[in-house]
């Protein structure tokens, strides 16, 4: 059964007097107001440890409102014949390339066309240790991030690989096109990340539930005439949207990352604007993935031979 998540919000003086459902829809916009009304009536909301089932209840300053996220509805996951680019495979695991625009696993609103649908079709056996809807999935990439992912075919590999990710033993490397010209060739971004207090759909460095996050980077190339740079990145932690949040925080958002601060006006040339227009995702690629094989102990290193289109074409002409 999926573990339930609990979120607690403190009512400010400014929010006092609002309806309970109105308040929750503002601080947790992942759910619509009508959905919040339903989960309030279903008993998923408490005020100072007391369950409240009235969506119209007027809230007061200082109240601690706890929202328990209900488990998602059961999703029927079907195998689908979706092309899959396999970079390594044995009986325990595989390393595959996830293209930009592909969702990793099914959820409400994305029940087909995901990486999991493809894995179920291409591999006779794939671990369902975490449930069929997350078959083989050990870690994640954002929908609009392209790159390599290791997937588990055996339950043994699934558990062991999860331990490696939890213990930060996996070497994850990315390349990103960022806006601006970092003034140092090397940098270490050490900024804790949590869900933004301003927008619950975003992550940020201002939050009530910050967790440590460390990103190391090297500037490979700068294009002053375009106001763009290419950076090589090593993740030391794996927080949601970590690279995107960290580079936005230091003033160099990823190309086309409209959620975390990209502005087209920052591009200084026609070719840079053309690059942005023709890039249907943000400029981030997980190009290298290295880990210890869970059964043999051998160090497995996989790497993309070239950047995905159209990044590859523009890197040649910038």
């Amino acid at each position: 059964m999926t573990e339930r998540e609990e979120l607690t919000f403190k009512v400010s003086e400014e929010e006092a007097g609002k309806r309970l459902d109105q308040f929750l829809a503002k601080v947790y916009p992942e759910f619509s107001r009508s959905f919040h009304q339903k989960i309030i009536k279903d008993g998923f909301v408490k005020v100072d440890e007391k369950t409240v089932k009235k969506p119209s209840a007027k809230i007061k300053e200082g109240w601690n409102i706890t929202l328990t996220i209900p488990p998602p509805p059961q999703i029927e996951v079907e195998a689908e014949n979706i092309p899959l680019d396999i970079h390594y495979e044995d009986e325990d695991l595989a390393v595959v390339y996830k293209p930009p625009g592909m969702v990793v696993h099914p959820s409400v609103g994305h029940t087909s066309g995901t990486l999991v649908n493809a894995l179920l079709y291409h591999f006779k056996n794939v671990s369902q240790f975490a449930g069929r809807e997350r078959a083989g999935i050990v870690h994640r990439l954002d929908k609009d991030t392209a790159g390599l992912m290791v997937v588990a075919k055996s339950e043994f590999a699934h558990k062991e690989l999860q331990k490696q990710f939890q213990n930060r033993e996996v070497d994850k490397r990315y390349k990103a096109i960022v806006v601006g010209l970092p003034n140092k060739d090397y940098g270490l971004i050490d900024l804790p990340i949590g869900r933004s207090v301003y927008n619950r759909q975003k992550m940020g460095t201002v939050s009530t539930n910050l967790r440590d996050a460390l990103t190391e980077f090297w500037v490979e190339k700068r294009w002053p005439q375009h106001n763009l740079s290419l950076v090589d990145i090593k993740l030391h932690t794996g927080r949601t949207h970590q690279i995107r949040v960290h580079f936005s925080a230091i003033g160099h958002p990823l190309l086309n990352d409209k959620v975390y601060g990209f502005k087209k006006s920052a591009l200084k040339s026609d070719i840079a604007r053309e690059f942005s227009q023709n890039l249907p995702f943000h400029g981030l690629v997980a190009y290298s993935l290295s880990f210890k094989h869970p059964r043999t102990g051998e160090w497995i290193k996989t790497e993309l031979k070239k950047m995905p289109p159209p990044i590859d074409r523009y890197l040649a002409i910038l």
Side-chain angles (χ1 to χ4, degrees):
M1 183 176 179
T2 304
E3 185 178 348
R4 295 183 178 185
E5 180 185 6
E6 284 193 353
L7 299 169
T8 299
F9 307 95
K10 195 176 187 69
V11 179
S12 66
E13 179 182 359
E14 181 183 315
E15 302 287 354
K18 290 184 177 179
R19 287 173 53 114
L20 178 58
D21 58 346
Q22 182 185 12
F23 171 77
L24 288 176
K26 179 179 179 181
V27 297
Y28 199 78
E30 283 90 338
F31 295 158
S32 66
R33 185 170 172 180
S34 61
F35 193 84
H36 277 294
Q37 291 171 351
K38 181 179 185 304
I39 62 177
I40 291 169
K41 293 176 182 178
D42 289 345
F44 287 102
V45 176
K46 292 182 179 181
V47 174
D48 293 327
E49 300 302 318
K50 184 178 179 180
T51 300
V52 176
K53 294 188 175 183
K54 189 176 179 182
S56 63
K58 301 295 184 182
I59 61 175
K60 296 182 179 180
E61 181 183 357
W63 275 9
N64 292 301
I65 299 177
T66 300
L67 170 65
T68 300
I69 309 301
Q74 194 69 30
I75 300 172
E76 293 296 325
V77 185
E78 301 294 335
E80 295 180 33
N81 186 7
I82 300 168
L84 194 62
D85 185 4
I86 303 171
H87 286 249
Y88 175 91
E89 182 183 4
D90 61 29
E91 291 183 357
D92 283 304
L93 58 89
V95 177
V96 302
Y97 171 74
K98 185 196 81 67
M102 175 181 272
V103 174
V104 170
H105 59 74
S107 62
V108 177
H110 291 286
T111 57
S112 65
T114 73
L115 180 61
V116 165
N117 296 108
L119 296 178
L120 290 170
Y121 180 88
H122 287 279
F123 299 131
K124 183 178 180 180
N125 296 311
V126 61
S127 168
Q128 297 190 30
F129 169 67
R132 183 174 172 85
E133 69 277 7
R134 283 174 169 77
I137 301 303
V138 179
H139 62 120
R140 294 176 58 185
L141 290 177
D142 292 345
K143 175 186 174 183
D144 286 330
T145 299
L148 297 173
M149 292 182 62
V150 59
V151 298
K153 295 171 70 177
S154 69
E155 184 174 322
F156 169 80
H158 204 141
K159 293 177 180 178
E160 293 300 314
L161 287 167
Q162 279 188 337
K163 290 178 185 177
Q164 289 189 45
F165 276 95
Q166 291 166 359
N167 295 333
R168 303 178 184 177
E169 297 169 350
V170 178
D171 189 75
K172 297 171 286 183
R173 303 292 180 108
Y174 297 74
K175 290 188 187 293
I177 309 292
V178 302
V179 176
L181 310 171
N183 55 13
K184 295 181 179 179
D185 291 338
Y186 170 79
L188 195 64
I189 309 172
D190 187 359
L191 288 173
I193 289 174
R195 195 165 290 279
S196 171
V197 297
Y198 305 113
N199 184 340
R200 300 296 298 176
Q201 293 178 309
K202 294 174 61 176
M203 304 301 287
T205 56
V206 179
S207 176
T208 56
N209 61 338
L210 291 171
R211 301 175 69 188
D212 66 300
L214 188 64
T215 304
E216 192 173 10
F217 72 91
W218 297 261
V219 179
E220 284 194 14
K221 195 164 185 177
R222 298 177 180 87
W223 295 281
Q225 70 273 33
H226 308 301
N227 198 34
L228 292 174
S229 298
L230 174 66
V231 293
D232 190 283
I233 301 163
K234 179 177 180 178
L235 276 188
H236 292 273
T237 51
R239 307 303 176 212
T240 301
H241 299 174
Q242 178 174 322
I243 292 174
R244 299 166 64 190
V245 172
H246 270 177
F247 277 88
S248 177
I250 65 170
H252 298 292
L254 271 59
L255 179 66
N256 274 9
D257 190 348
K258 299 174 181 63
V259 175
Y260 291 104
F262 167 74
K263 293 182 180 178
K264 194 173 182 179
S265 59
L267 303 177
K268 300 299 183 184
S269 69
D270 288 341
I271 192 171
R273 287 185 282 272
E274 178 189 321
F275 186 10
S276 171
Q277 184 176 348
N278 290 335
L279 186 68
F281 56 100
H282 50 243
L284 180 64
V285 179
Y287 77 92
S288 178
L289 185 64
S290 303
F291 54 91
K292 186 172 67 175
H293 194 286
R295 195 173 298 277
T296 67
E298 176 189 1
W299 189 249
I300 304 294
K301 181 176 181 178
T302 54
E303 191 168 308
L304 292 178
K305 294 179 180 178
K306 65 177 184 177
M307 296 285 274
I311 291 180
D312 57 345
R313 181 166 64 88
Y314 280 95
L315 287 180
I317 62 176
L318 282 177

